[in-house]
Amino acid sequence: MSTQSRNRQRQTMPGWVSEGTHMRDPLRGRTGIVQFIGEFEDPKTRVVMQNAVFVRPEGGGVEWVVEDPSSLERG
């Protein structure tokens, strides 16, 4: 098996999404605040997301990476 990462095209993201934005991730049924938007390599699949969205619940908690930024809703 190759140790090289498989690249993935930049995901489509709504123009209103930026760091500090309150949003809802309907695929996970969670709400939170965008912490960071940038490159992320999934450790399981080795797929590189060029503009991954990292979100943390308001008030703290476990951060997650949004699977499909185009599905985000203002929260």
Coordinates of all heavy atoms in Angstrom, one line a residue:
M1 N 0.8 -1.2 0.0 CA 0.0 0.0 0.0 C 0.9 1.2 0.0 O 1.9 1.3 0.7 CB -0.9 0.0 1.2 CG -2.0 1.1 1.1 SD -3.0 1.2 2.6 CE -3.9 -0.3 2.6
S2 N 0.5 2.2 -0.8 CA 1.3 3.5 -0.9 C 1.2 4.3 0.4 O 0.1 4.4 1.0 CB 0.8 4.3 -2.1 OG 1.5 5.5 -2.1
T3 N 2.3 4.9 0.8 CA 2.3 5.8 1.9 C 2.0 7.2 1.6 O 1.9 8.1 2.4 CB 3.6 5.8 2.7 OG1 4.7 6.2 1.8 CG2 3.9 4.4 3.2
Q4 N 1.8 7.5 0.2 CA 1.5 8.9 -0.2 C 0.0 9.2 0.1 O -0.8 8.3 0.0 CB 1.8 9.0 -1.7 CG 3.2 9.1 -2.0 CD 3.4 9.4 -3.5 OE1 2.6 9.1 -4.3 NE2 4.6 10.0 -3.8
S5 N -0.2 10.4 0.4 CA -1.6 10.9 0.6 C -2.3 11.0 -0.7 O -1.7 11.4 -1.7 CB -1.6 12.3 1.3 OG -1.0 12.2 2.6
R6 N -3.6 10.8 -0.7 CA -4.4 11.0 -1.9 C -5.0 12.4 -1.8 O -5.7 12.7 -0.8 CB -5.5 10.0 -2.0 CG -4.9 8.6 -2.3 CD -6.0 7.6 -2.3 NE -6.5 7.5 -0.9 CZ -7.5 6.8 -0.5 NH1 -8.3 6.2 -1.4 NH2 -7.9 6.7 0.8
N7 N -4.8 13.2 -2.8 CA -5.3 14.6 -2.7 C -6.8 14.6 -3.1 O -7.3 13.7 -3.8 CB -4.5 15.5 -3.7 CG -3.2 15.9 -3.1 OD1 -3.0 16.0 -1.9 ND2 -2.2 16.0 -4.0
R8 N -7.4 15.6 -2.6 CA -8.9 15.8 -2.8 C -9.1 17.2 -3.2 O -8.4 18.1 -2.6 CB -9.6 15.4 -1.6 CG -11.1 15.6 -1.6 CD -11.7 15.0 -0.4 NE -13.0 15.5 -0.1 CZ -13.7 15.0 0.9 NH1 -13.3 14.1 1.6 NH2 -14.9 15.6 1.1
Q9 N -9.9 17.5 -4.1 CA -10.2 18.9 -4.5 C -10.7 19.7 -3.4 O -11.3 19.1 -2.5 CB -11.1 18.9 -5.7 CG -10.6 18.4 -7.0 CD -11.6 18.5 -8.1 OE1 -12.8 18.7 -7.9 NE2 -11.1 18.3 -9.3
R10 N -10.5 21.0 -3.5 CA -11.1 21.9 -2.5 C -12.6 21.7 -2.5 O -13.3 21.6 -3.5 CB -10.8 23.4 -2.8 CG -9.3 23.7 -2.7 CD -9.0 25.1 -3.0 NE -9.6 26.0 -2.1 CZ -9.1 26.5 -1.0 NH1 -7.9 26.0 -0.7 NH2 -9.7 27.3 -0.2
Q11 N -13.2 21.6 -1.3 CA -14.6 21.5 -1.1 C -15.3 22.8 -1.3 O -14.8 23.8 -0.9 CB -14.9 20.9 0.3 CG -14.3 19.5 0.5 CD -14.5 19.0 1.9 OE1 -14.5 19.8 2.8 NE2 -14.7 17.7 2.0
T12 N -16.5 22.7 -1.8 CA -17.3 23.9 -1.9 C -17.8 24.4 -0.5 O -18.3 23.6 0.2 CB -18.5 23.7 -2.8 OG1 -18.0 23.2 -4.1 CG2 -19.4 24.9 -3.0
M13 N -17.6 25.7 -0.2 CA -18.0 26.2 1.1 C -18.8 27.5 0.9 O -18.5 28.3 0.1 CB -16.8 26.5 1.9 CG -17.0 26.9 3.3 SD -15.5 27.1 4.3 CE -14.2 26.5 3.3
P14 N -19.9 27.6 1.6 CA -20.7 28.9 1.6 C -19.8 30.1 1.9 O -18.9 30.0 2.7 CB -21.7 28.7 2.6 CG -21.8 27.3 2.9 CD -20.5 26.7 2.6
G15 N -20.0 31.2 1.2 CA -19.2 32.4 1.4 C -19.3 33.0 2.8 O -18.4 33.7 3.2
W16 N -20.3 32.7 3.5 CA -20.5 33.3 4.9 C -19.7 32.6 5.9 O -19.6 33.1 7.1 CB -22.0 33.3 5.3 CG -22.6 32.0 5.2 CD1 -23.3 31.4 4.2 CD2 -22.7 31.0 6.3 NE1 -23.8 30.2 4.5 CE2 -23.4 29.9 5.8 CE3 -22.2 31.0 7.6 CZ2 -23.6 28.8 6.6 CZ3 -22.4 29.8 8.3 CH2 -23.1 28.7 7.8
V17 N -19.1 31.4 5.6 CA -18.3 30.6 6.6 C -16.9 31.2 6.8 O -16.2 31.4 5.8 CB -18.2 29.2 6.2 CG1 -17.4 28.4 7.2 CG2 -19.6 28.5 6.1
S18 N -16.6 31.6 8.0 CA -15.3 32.1 8.4 C -15.0 31.7 9.8 O -15.9 31.3 10.6 CB -15.1 33.6 8.1 OG -16.0 34.3 9.0
E19 N -13.8 31.9 10.2 CA -13.4 31.6 11.6 C -14.2 32.5 12.6 O -14.4 33.7 12.3 CB -11.9 31.8 11.8 CG -11.1 30.8 11.1 CD -9.6 31.0 11.2 OE1 -9.2 31.8 12.0 OE2 -8.9 30.3 10.5
G20 N -14.8 31.9 13.6 CA -15.6 32.6 14.6 C -17.1 32.6 14.2 O -17.9 33.1 15.0
T21 N -17.5 32.0 13.1 CA -18.9 32.0 12.7 C -19.7 30.9 13.5 O -19.2 29.8 13.6 CB -19.0 31.6 11.2 OG1 -18.3 32.6 10.5 CG2 -20.4 31.6 10.7
H22 N -20.8 31.2 14.0 CA -21.7 30.2 14.6 C -22.4 29.5 13.4 O -22.9 30.1 12.5 CB -22.8 30.9 15.4 CG -22.3 31.6 16.6 ND1 -21.9 30.8 17.7 CD2 -22.2 32.9 16.9 CE1 -21.5 31.7 18.6 NE2 -21.6 32.9 18.2
M23 N -22.4 28.1 13.5 CA -23.0 27.4 12.4 C -23.6 26.1 12.9 O -23.4 25.7 14.0 CB -22.0 27.1 11.3 CG -20.6 26.6 11.8 SD -20.1 24.9 11.5 CE -21.3 23.9 12.1
R24 N -24.4 25.5 12.0 CA -25.0 24.2 12.3 C -24.5 23.2 11.3 O -24.5 23.5 10.1 CB -26.5 24.3 12.3 CG -27.2 23.0 12.6 CD -28.8 23.2 12.6 NE -29.4 22.0 13.0 CZ -29.5 20.9 12.2 NH1 -29.1 20.9 11.0 NH2 -30.2 19.8 12.6
D25 N -24.1 22.0 11.7 CA -23.7 20.9 10.8 C -24.8 19.9 10.8 O -25.0 19.1 11.7 CB -22.4 20.3 11.4 CG -21.9 19.2 10.5 OD1 -22.5 18.8 9.6 OD2 -20.7 18.7 10.8
P26 N -25.7 20.0 9.7 CA -26.9 19.1 9.7 C -26.5 17.6 9.5 O -27.3 16.8 9.9 CB -27.7 19.6 8.5 CG -26.7 20.3 7.6 CD -25.6 20.9 8.6
L27 N -25.4 17.3 9.0 CA -25.0 15.9 8.8 C -24.7 15.3 10.2 O -24.9 14.1 10.3 CB -23.8 15.8 7.9 CG -24.0 16.3 6.5 CD1 -22.7 16.2 5.7 CD2 -25.1 15.6 5.8
R28 N -24.2 16.1 11.1 CA -24.0 15.5 12.5 C -25.0 16.0 13.5 O -24.9 15.5 14.6 CB -22.6 16.0 12.9 CG -21.5 15.4 12.1 CD -20.2 15.2 12.8 NE -19.2 14.7 12.0 CZ -18.0 14.3 12.5 NH1 -17.7 14.5 13.7 NH2 -17.1 13.8 11.6
G29 N -25.9 16.9 13.1 CA -26.9 17.4 14.0 C -26.3 18.1 15.2 O -26.8 18.1 16.3
R30 N -25.2 18.9 14.9 CA -24.5 19.6 15.9 C -24.3 21.1 15.5 O -24.3 21.4 14.4 CB -23.1 19.0 16.1 CG -23.1 17.6 16.6 CD -21.7 17.0 16.7 NE -21.0 17.6 17.9 CZ -19.8 17.3 18.2 NH1 -19.1 16.5 17.5 NH2 -19.3 17.9 19.3
T31 N -24.2 21.9 16.6 CA -23.9 23.3 16.3 C -22.6 23.7 17.0 O -22.2 23.0 18.0 CB -25.0 24.2 16.9 OG1 -25.1 24.0 18.3 CG2 -26.4 24.0 16.2
G32 N -22.0 24.7 16.5 CA -20.7 25.1 17.1 C -20.2 26.4 16.4 O -20.9 27.1 15.7
I33 N -18.9 26.7 16.7 CA -18.2 27.9 16.2 C -17.0 27.4 15.4 O -16.2 26.6 15.9 CB -17.8 28.8 17.4 CG1 -19.0 29.2 18.2 CG2 -17.0 30.0 16.8 CD1 -18.7 29.9 19.4
V34 N -16.9 28.0 14.2 CA -15.8 27.6 13.3 C -14.5 28.1 14.0 O -14.3 29.2 14.4 CB -15.9 28.3 11.9 CG1 -14.7 27.9 11.1 CG2 -17.2 27.8 11.2
Q35 N -13.5 27.2 14.2 CA -12.3 27.5 14.8 C -11.1 27.7 13.8 O -10.3 28.5 14.1 CB -11.8 26.3 15.7 CG -12.8 26.0 16.8 CD -13.0 27.2 17.8 OE1 -12.0 27.7 18.3 NE2 -14.2 27.6 18.0
F36 N -11.2 27.0 12.7 CA -10.1 27.0 11.8 C -10.6 26.5 10.4 O -11.4 25.6 10.4 CB -8.9 26.1 12.3 CG -7.8 26.0 11.3 CD1 -6.9 27.1 11.1 CD2 -7.5 24.9 10.6 CE1 -5.8 27.0 10.3 CE2 -6.4 24.7 9.8 CZ -5.6 25.8 9.6
I37 N -10.1 27.1 9.3 CA -10.3 26.5 8.0 C -9.0 26.4 7.3 O -8.2 27.3 7.2 CB -11.2 27.5 7.2 CG1 -12.5 27.8 7.9 CG2 -11.4 27.0 5.8 CD1 -13.4 28.9 7.3
G38 N -8.7 25.1 7.0 CA -7.4 24.9 6.4 C -7.2 23.4 6.0 O -8.1 22.6 6.0
E39 N -6.0 23.1 5.6 CA -5.7 21.7 5.2 C -5.7 20.7 6.3 O -5.3 21.0 7.4 CB -4.3 21.7 4.6 CG -4.0 20.3 3.9 CD -2.7 20.4 3.2 OE1 -2.6 20.9 2.0 OE2 -1.7 19.9 3.7
F40 N -6.3 19.5 6.0 CA -6.4 18.4 7.0 C -6.3 17.1 6.3 O -6.9 16.9 5.2 CB -7.8 18.5 7.7 CG -8.1 17.3 8.5 CD1 -7.5 17.1 9.7 CD2 -9.1 16.4 8.1 CE1 -7.8 16.0 10.5 CE2 -9.4 15.3 8.9 CZ -8.7 15.1 10.1
E41 N -5.5 16.2 6.8 CA -5.3 14.9 6.3 C -6.0 13.9 7.2 O -5.6 13.8 8.4 CB -3.9 14.5 6.1 CG -3.7 13.1 5.5 CD -2.3 12.7 5.3 OE1 -1.4 13.6 5.3 OE2 -2.0 11.5 5.1
D42 N -7.0 13.3 6.7 CA -7.8 12.3 7.5 C -6.8 11.1 7.9 O -6.3 10.5 7.0 CB -9.0 11.8 6.7 CG -9.9 10.9 7.6 OD1 -9.3 10.0 8.3 OD2 -11.1 11.0 7.5
P43 N -6.6 10.9 9.1 CA -5.6 9.8 9.5 C -6.1 8.4 9.1 O -5.3 7.5 8.9 CB -5.5 9.9 11.0 CG -6.7 10.7 11.5 CD -7.1 11.5 10.3
K44 N -7.4 8.2 8.9 CA -7.9 6.9 8.6 C -7.8 6.6 7.1 O -7.4 5.6 6.7 CB -9.4 6.7 9.0 CG -9.5 6.7 10.5 CD -11.0 6.6 10.9 CE -11.2 6.7 12.4 NZ -12.6 6.8 12.8
T45 N -8.2 7.6 6.3 CA -8.3 7.4 4.8 C -7.1 8.0 4.1 O -6.8 7.7 2.9 CB -9.5 8.1 4.2 OG1 -9.4 9.5 4.4 CG2 -10.8 7.5 4.9
R46 N -6.3 8.9 4.8 CA -5.1 9.6 4.2 C -5.6 10.6 3.1 O -4.7 11.1 2.4 CB -4.1 8.6 3.7 CG -3.7 7.5 4.6 CD -3.2 8.0 5.9 NE -1.9 8.6 5.9 CZ -1.3 9.1 6.9 NH1 -1.8 9.1 8.1 NH2 -0.1 9.7 6.8
V47 N -6.8 10.9 3.0 CA -7.3 11.9 2.1 C -7.1 13.3 2.6 O -7.3 13.5 3.8 CB -8.9 11.7 1.8 CG1 -9.4 12.8 1.0 CG2 -9.1 10.4 1.1
V48 N -6.5 14.1 1.8 CA -6.2 15.5 2.2 C -7.4 16.4 1.8 O -7.7 16.5 0.6 CB -4.9 16.0 1.6 CG1 -4.7 17.5 1.9 CG2 -3.8 15.1 2.0
M49 N -7.9 17.1 2.7 CA -9.0 18.1 2.4 C -8.3 19.5 2.4 O -7.7 19.9 3.4 CB -10.0 18.1 3.5 CG -10.8 16.8 3.5 SD -12.0 16.9 4.9 CE -11.9 15.2 5.5
Q50 N -8.4 20.2 1.3 CA -7.7 21.5 1.2 C -8.3 22.6 2.0 O -7.6 23.5 2.4 CB -7.6 21.9 -0.3 CG -6.9 20.9 -1.2 CD -5.4 20.7 -0.8 OE1 -4.8 21.7 -0.5 NE2 -5.0 19.5 -0.7
N51 N -9.6 22.6 2.2 CA -10.2 23.7 3.1 C -11.2 23.0 4.1 O -12.3 23.3 4.1 CB -10.8 24.7 2.2 CG -11.9 24.2 1.3 OD1 -12.0 23.0 1.0 ND2 -12.8 25.1 0.8
A52 N -10.6 22.2 4.9 CA -11.4 21.6 6.0 C -11.9 22.6 7.0 O -11.2 23.6 7.3 CB -10.6 20.5 6.6
V53 N -13.1 22.4 7.5 CA -13.7 23.3 8.5 C -13.7 22.6 9.9 O -14.3 21.6 10.0 CB -15.1 23.7 8.1 CG1 -15.7 24.6 9.2 CG2 -15.1 24.4 6.8
F54 N -12.9 23.2 10.8 CA -12.9 22.6 12.2 C -13.8 23.4 13.0 O -13.8 24.6 13.1 CB -11.4 22.8 12.7 CG -10.4 22.0 12.0 CD1 -9.9 22.4 10.7 CD2 -9.9 20.8 12.5 CE1 -9.0 21.7 10.1 CE2 -8.9 20.1 11.8 CZ -8.5 20.5 10.6
V55 N -14.7 22.7 13.8 CA -15.7 23.3 14.6 C -15.7 22.8 16.0 O -15.4 21.6 16.2 CB -17.1 23.0 14.0 CG1 -18.2 23.7 14.8 CG2 -17.2 23.5 12.5
R56 N -15.9 23.7 17.0 CA -16.0 23.3 18.4 C -17.3 23.8 18.9 O -17.8 24.9 18.6 CB -14.9 24.0 19.1 CG -14.8 23.5 20.6 CD -13.6 24.1 21.4 NE -12.4 23.6 20.7 CZ -11.3 24.3 20.5 NH1 -11.3 25.6 20.9 NH2 -10.3 23.8 20.0
P57 N -18.0 23.0 19.8 CA -19.2 23.4 20.4 C -19.0 24.7 21.2 O -17.9 24.9 21.8 CB -19.6 22.3 21.4 CG -18.8 21.1 20.9 CD -17.6 21.6 20.2
E58 N -20.0 25.6 21.2 CA -19.9 26.8 21.9 C -19.7 26.5 23.4 O -20.4 25.6 24.0 CB -21.1 27.7 21.7 CG -21.0 29.1 22.3 CD -22.1 30.0 21.9 OE1 -23.1 29.5 21.2 OE2 -22.0 31.2 22.1
G59 N -18.8 27.2 24.1 CA -18.5 26.9 25.5 C -17.5 25.8 25.7 O -17.1 25.5 26.8
G60 N -17.0 25.2 24.6 CA -16.0 24.2 24.7 C -16.5 22.8 24.4 O -17.7 22.6 24.3
G61 N -15.6 21.9 24.3 CA -15.9 20.5 24.0 C -15.0 19.9 22.9 O -14.0 20.5 22.6
V62 N -15.4 18.8 22.4 CA -14.6 18.1 21.4 C -14.8 18.7 20.0 O -15.9 18.8 19.5 CB -14.9 16.6 21.4 CG1 -14.1 15.9 20.4 CG2 -14.6 16.0 22.8
E63 N -13.7 19.1 19.4 CA -13.7 19.7 18.0 C -14.0 18.6 17.0 O -13.6 17.4 17.2 CB -12.4 20.4 17.8 CG -12.3 21.1 16.5 CD -11.0 21.9 16.5 OE1 -9.9 21.2 16.2 OE2 -10.9 23.1 16.7
W64 N -14.6 18.9 15.9 CA -14.8 18.0 14.8 C -14.5 18.7 13.5 O -14.5 19.9 13.4 CB -16.2 17.4 14.9 CG -17.3 18.2 14.4 CD1 -17.9 18.2 13.1 CD2 -18.1 19.1 15.2 NE1 -18.9 19.1 13.1 CE2 -19.1 19.7 14.3 CE3 -18.1 19.6 16.5 CZ2 -20.0 20.6 14.7 CZ3 -19.0 20.5 16.9 CH2 -20.0 21.0 16.0
V65 N -14.3 17.8 12.5 CA -14.1 18.3 11.1 C -15.4 18.1 10.3 O -15.9 17.0 10.3 CB -12.9 17.6 10.4 CG1 -12.7 18.1 9.0 CG2 -11.6 17.8 11.2
V66 N -15.9 19.1 9.7 CA -17.1 19.1 8.9 C -16.8 18.2 7.7 O -15.9 18.5 7.0 CB -17.6 20.5 8.5 CG1 -18.8 20.4 7.6 CG2 -17.9 21.3 9.8
E67 N -17.7 17.2 7.4 CA -17.5 16.4 6.3 C -17.9 17.0 5.0 O -17.2 16.8 3.9 CB -18.4 15.1 6.5 CG -17.9 14.2 7.6 CD -18.8 13.0 7.8 OE1 -19.4 12.6 6.8 OE2 -18.8 12.5 8.9
D68 N -18.9 17.9 5.0 CA -19.4 18.5 3.7 C -19.7 20.0 4.0 O -20.8 20.3 4.4 CB -20.6 17.8 3.2 CG -21.1 18.5 1.9 OD1 -20.4 19.4 1.3 OD2 -22.2 18.1 1.4
P69 N -18.7 20.9 3.9 CA -18.9 22.3 4.2 C -20.1 22.9 3.4 O -20.7 23.9 3.9 CB -17.6 23.0 3.8 CG -16.6 21.9 3.9 CD -17.3 20.6 3.5
S70 N -20.4 22.4 2.2 CA -21.5 23.0 1.5 C -22.9 22.8 2.1 O -23.8 23.5 1.8 CB -21.5 22.4 0.0 OG -21.9 21.1 0.0
S71 N -22.9 21.9 3.1 CA -24.2 21.6 3.8 C -24.4 22.4 5.0 O -25.5 22.4 5.6 CB -24.3 20.1 4.2 OG -23.3 19.9 5.2
L72 N -23.4 23.2 5.4 CA -23.5 24.0 6.6 C -24.6 25.0 6.6 O -25.0 25.6 5.5 CB -22.2 24.8 6.9 CG -21.0 23.9 7.2 CD1 -19.8 24.8 7.4 CD2 -21.3 23.1 8.5
E73 N -25.2 25.3 7.7 CA -26.3 26.3 7.9 C -25.9 27.3 8.9 O -25.2 27.0 9.9 CB -27.6 25.6 8.3 CG -28.1 24.5 7.4 CD -29.2 23.7 8.0 OE1 -29.5 23.8 9.2 OE2 -29.8 22.9 7.2
R74 N -26.4 28.5 8.8 CA -26.1 29.5 9.8 C -26.7 29.1 11.1 O -27.9 28.7 11.1 CB -26.6 30.9 9.3 CG -25.7 31.4 8.2 CD -26.2 32.8 7.8 NE -25.5 33.1 6.5 CZ -25.3 34.3 6.1 NH1 -25.8 35.3 6.8 NH2 -24.7 34.6 5.0
G75 N -26.0 29.2 12.2 CA -26.5 28.8 13.4 C -26.5 29.8 14.5 O -26.9 29.7 15.5

